[in-house]
Every structure is written in C-alpha cells, then in structure tokens.
Amino acid sequence: MALLLMLFTFIPSSLAIFEITAALPCSSNEVPFASTCIPSDQSYLTAYKFLLANLPSWDVSNAATLGFHNNTGEQVDGLDDGIATLGINISLTTKQSQPWAVDVPEDIFNEYVVPYAHVNEARNNWRPFLTKAVNAIFEANPQISLFTVPDVVYLLNDNLWHTGVLGNNITFKSSQTPLIYDPMSTIVFGYASCTGVSILFADALRAAGVPARIAGTPAWNRVQENGNHNWVEVYDHQTKDWYFIEAAPAGGGESLTNPCDKWFCSPDRMENGTQVYSTRWEFDTTGTVYPLAWDLGNKEVPGVDRTDYYQKVCNKC
C-alpha cells in the first residue's frame, strides 16, 4: 500500500500525458465520456490509479517495468515508458478519435478498454501493434458503415485473421494453453486454442476502443474431463449490456444478438449447472475469481459470475 501511495503522490501528470489529437466533441486536451469532457491529464491519472491499485502480485513486482514510476519525467532510451502507461495514452487517443468509443462510460472504459491484460498471459506491447492493425482494417473498408459497436465487432472479426494485417494468418489449434495464449505469441506462431484467439480478439477490440473481456467455463457440466472453453464478451454502451461471440478461428458465422448461434450455447452444455465467468480488472465486493482452467489454484484474476445469465439463455436454445 505504501508503494501505491508513493506512486500516486509523485506522478507529474503534465509529463505523463502525451499529446492527444481530438477528432470528436471535446477540445484537444479533453477526453469524451458520454456527455462529459474530462481533462486528459485527469483521465490519465484516473486510469493510472485504477490499474495500479488492482495489480496482481506478479505485476506488482514489475510495476516500474510496466510504467508505474514515482517519477515519470523523460528518461534516457525511453526507460520511463511501460506497456501499461503507454496503453493508457493510446486508449485515450482512441476514445477521442472513434465515434463508437465516445459514449463509453469512464468506469467501463477503464476496466475493459485500458487494461493491458485479461488473465495471467505474458505481458507484451500489443496495444500500438493492434491499434495500427485495426486502423488498417477500417481504412481498407471505407464502404462499411461503422455507427454501432456490432458494426465494429463484425468488421474486425471478419478481417483480422487472414488479411495480412497482423503479418501472419491465425488459425485455431487445440490444446495450446498455456504454451501459446498471449496476443503476440499467437501472432508469431500463427495459431492458438480458444483462450489465445479470444485474448487476441478482445485485445483488438480494446485497441479499437470497444470494451471487451474474456468469458468461459473451467469445466463443461462441472466435470473437468468434459473440457473447458473461452470466448469474448463485448459491451454495447447503447444498450448498456454485454453480448458474447467467439473469435472467428474458433467459431465463425456468429452474431452478438443470437446466443443460440454459438455451438456451446445449448442445454446439454449447461447440464449439471455449468459455471461461466468473465474477467475484470478489479475484484468485486464478494471477491469473485475468474477460474483459470490451466491454473485452477490461481486466485488472483478477478471475475464476474455469469452462470445465471448463460444458464438462462442457453437452456432456451
């Protein structure tokens, strides 16, 4: 706690914020959150403090490497930069420049767009790489109307995997977690199982300013031998609700609006009270954990219990 207070106290926000160019309703030194324009340095500090206050233990020991310094002045060879703090700045730029991101509430944005990780995947500098990739997709498809979150989700899911924007084609290959599941490893190897392609897709959505998180079950029918699965949940600020979809390599042709077009959303998969969770950055008041099928003893990844929702919608399919 003393470390956190020290870091909060000594951040010179004027140095921590890089130049943000606004394309939407706020001025160049403000960030839009619904109907409010918040000064960019204040937005940065709020996100910074939120990430820092909820670091898992393995990131606390690497706080400075991630960019959480007690002095963020310019350093030689860029040693002041870190993937977390660079990610905050890029996220704020994206929020100013993409119309579907403008009205995302600050709490949702800080928890489901700004974070640099979902679970315990290797930490790497995916944000600038994927921001460039998703922008390339947008630029290559000017004929596509991007007015809503579903518009963005479908365009990215259709064009992320086999168009060359990642420098490699990505396919599904089972049983790769925990060998390959961070986004850059998935890109380099060109394959991953459901966890890896889900994390890559969720990170691409975050790079586009769309709130996204990982969802899944550690065991179908609460029987480990039946296997596990992960997919992606997306927040639509217009409906104020979460929807789910798979990364195309794991399950193409799916929509955000029809739960029953996912192969796993069925009564037989929900038998015996199959439990489903989604990830988040901050623990809720009950301390809900996101269970990692590859590391069930790990209790450090915050979760949201989504079992009731999935039992309800999938038992109707």
Side-chain angles (χ1 to χ4, degrees):
M1 182 60 69
L3 170 64
L4 303 187
L5 291 174
M6 178 180 70
L7 290 172
F8 288 171
T9 302
F10 290 100
I11 300 167
S13 60
S14 62
L15 296 176
I17 311 301
F18 75 170
E19 182 178 356
I20 296 175
T21 303
L24 285 166
C26 302
S27 67
S28 61
N29 63 347
E30 295 177 317
V31 180
F33 287 99
S35 59
T36 303
C37 291
I38 300 177
S40 56
D41 58 346
Q42 179 181 328
S43 298
Y44 177 94
L45 286 172
T46 299
Y48 181 105
K49 293 178 180 180
F50 175 74
L51 291 184
L52 181 60
N54 297 286
L55 293 178
S57 63
W58 53 83
D59 286 346
V60 170
S61 60
N62 289 309
T65 301
L66 292 168
F68 298 110
H69 296 280
N70 61 359
N71 185 336
T72 56
E74 186 175 350
Q75 300 277 332
V76 176
D77 295 329
L79 294 179
D80 183 54
D81 295 329
I83 61 173
T85 47
L86 178 64
I88 297 171
N89 283 322
I90 297 175
S91 297
L92 295 177
T93 301
T94 299
K95 198 173 200 310
Q96 288 191 306
S97 63
Q98 303 295 13
W100 53 84
V102 170
D103 292 327
V104 176
E106 188 173 26
D107 58 340
I108 295 291
F109 187 80
N110 286 341
E111 185 147 24
Y112 299 109
V113 175
V114 171
Y116 51 87
H118 298 270
V119 287
N120 65 345
E121 73 270 27
R123 276 47 175 152
N124 45 52
N125 195 27
W126 56 264
R127 180 93 53 176
F129 182 88
L130 289 180
T131 298
K132 182 178 180 180
V134 299
N135 286 340
I137 292 173
F138 297 148
E139 292 168 7
N141 293 275
Q143 77 284 3
I144 303 295
S145 298
L146 297 175
F147 297 117
T148 68
V149 167
D151 292 338
V152 178
V153 173
Y154 297 146
L155 180 65
L156 293 183
N157 209 12
D158 288 342
N159 291 275
L160 188 66
W161 313 101
H162 299 290
T163 60
V165 293
L166 298 177
N168 204 358
N169 290 337
I170 311 299
T171 59
F172 177 86
K173 186 176 181 179
S174 63
S175 304
Q176 296 305 302
T177 308
L179 293 173
I180 301 169
Y181 68 115
D182 70 88
M184 301 309 287
S185 291
T186 298
I187 292 169
V188 169
F189 281 90
Y191 57 79
S193 50
C194 60
T195 306
V197 295
S198 295
I199 289 176
L200 176 54
F201 186 34
D203 285 342
L205 291 171
R206 288 182 175 186
V210 175
R213 63 191 185 188
I214 302 302
T217 178
W220 294 120
N221 317 119
R222 305 181 74 167
V223 177
Q224 282 188 272
E225 289 74 18
N226 289 356
N228 61 83
H229 193 46
N230 285 292
W231 55 91
V232 175
E233 288 189 339
V234 178
Y235 182 80
D236 189 337
H237 63 273
Q238 292 183 318
T239 62
K240 298 180 173 57
D241 209 348
W242 289 92
Y243 302 87
F244 66 104
I245 191 170
E246 290 182 287
E254 299 176 354
S255 69
L256 289 172
T257 54
N258 180 13
C260 300
D261 63 15
K262 288 78 173 172
W263 64 267
F264 59 86
C265 192
S266 63
D268 63 314
R269 290 286 175 176
M270 293 296 125
E271 282 182 4
N272 198 37
T274 293
Q275 296 176 307
V276 179
Y277 296 85
S278 60
T279 59
R280 59 180 305 173
W281 190 254
E282 178 184 30
F283 277 106
D284 60 22
T285 55
T286 64
T288 302
V289 170
Y290 184 81
L292 307 178
W294 59 94
D295 189 2
L296 287 173
N298 190 326
K299 306 299 182 184
E300 290 199 47
V301 178
V304 180
D305 191 338
R306 297 278 282 162
T307 301
D308 288 347
Y309 167 77
Y310 283 94
Q311 285 288 338
K312 179 180 179 180
V313 299
C314 294
N315 273 306
K316 294 180 179 178
C317 295

